[in-house]
Amino acid sequence: MVKYTLQSSLPNATALAFYEFMVNAPAEVYANWLPEEHYEFHIVKRSNKSPVGDLVYFDQNIGHKYRMKFFATIKEANKPNRIVFQMRKFGITLPGYLELDFLDTAEGLALTETLRIGFNGLGKICDPFIKIVYGNKFFQVFKEHHKKEWKNLSDILSHAE
């Protein structure tokens, strides 16, 4: 399994604002997030337990090198502190998860972003192939994207309030 965990401290940001944005991003706000790398992010289908079960579509580049174009199901939503997305492609649920944890602190928002890709059990035999695509080069680009992405969202949300 590939697992990358990154943390940021974002002054002037709040857990509730980040949570609300991630479960229902207004198109006009999203358009200004990182327009050169983020193309689309919207709810495709709401579940009866919304936001858990909602189907989200996203299309973005990670540092102009890795195109991430997936559907994702919201698997967990603990307002305002945690959201977990599970990736889907071609109607198939994939072993890829994006976990976002938000915590309000005296200094602002403490954000933890965890990307997990890989299988449990017998499926672990595929993990070496996953590591070829999502190895150290990907992690370095992902780390730079993380810093830029979340700081930019913090700035946008603070101006939108």
Side-chain angles (χ1 to χ4, degrees), residues 10-77:
L10 301 161
N12 306 319
T14 67
L16 183 60
F18 267 59
Y19 175 91
E20 292 293 341
F21 181 83
M22 295 308 298
V23 297
N24 195 22
E28 64 279 2
V29 177
Y30 183 81
N32 293 310
W33 187 0
L34 278 181
E36 69 280 359
E37 293 183 32
H38 289 185
Y39 309 121
E40 248 183 292
F41 179 80
H42 62 274
I43 304 294
V44 174
K45 184 178 178 186
R46 297 238 182 243
S47 78
N48 60 357
K49 296 179 183 176
S50 187
V52 173
D54 286 359
L55 184 63
V56 178
Y57 176 76
F58 70 95
D59 180 4
Q60 70 178 44
N61 271 321
I62 306 291
H64 299 292
K65 294 184 181 193
Y66 297 90
R67 185 80 178 254
M68 307 298 272
K69 192 173 184 177
F70 291 95
F71 288 90
T73 302
I74 297 177
K75 300 302 273 184
E76 188 178 332

Side-chain angles (χ1 to χ4, degrees), residues 5 9 13 22 25 35 54 60 72 79 85-86 95 111 156:
T5 300
S9 180
M22 295 308 298
D54 286 359
Q60 70 178 44
K79 186 177 185 175
F85 297 91
Q86 184 174 14
L111 168 70
I156 288 172

Side-chain angles (χ1 to χ4, degrees), residues 56-156:
V56 178
Y57 176 76
F58 70 95
D59 180 4
Q60 70 178 44
N61 271 321
I62 306 291
H64 299 292
K65 294 184 181 193
Y66 297 90
R67 185 80 178 254
M68 307 298 272
K69 192 173 184 177
F70 291 95
F71 288 90
T73 302
I74 297 177
K75 300 302 273 184
E76 188 178 332
N78 297 326
K79 186 177 185 175
N81 298 110
R82 182 172 168 81
I83 302 168
V84 177
F85 297 91
Q86 184 174 14
M87 308 310 154
R88 294 175 51 93
K89 190 90 169 178
F90 308 117
I92 298 169
T93 300
L94 302 174
Y97 297 87
L98 175 64
E99 302 171 10
L100 300 171
D101 291 289
F102 314 111
L103 180 64
D104 286 322
T105 69
E107 295 80 33
L109 176 69
L111 168 70
T112 302
E113 178 179 21
T114 302
L115 180 63
R116 288 187 297 121
I117 307 168
F119 294 92
N120 293 319
L122 187 59
K124 285 184 179 184
I125 61 172
C126 297
D127 284 356
F129 300 107
I130 293 169
K131 289 178 183 176
I132 290 171
V133 177
Y134 298 104
N136 289 334
K137 286 182 182 178
F138 173 80
F139 179 63
Q140 293 308 315
V141 173
F142 180 59
K143 191 174 3 176
E144 289 304 311
H145 182 79
H146 167 91
K147 291 177 195 174
K148 180 171 54 171
E149 171 178 54
W150 299 112
K151 183 195 176 313
N152 187 273
L153 182 58
S154 177
D155 292 346
I156 288 172

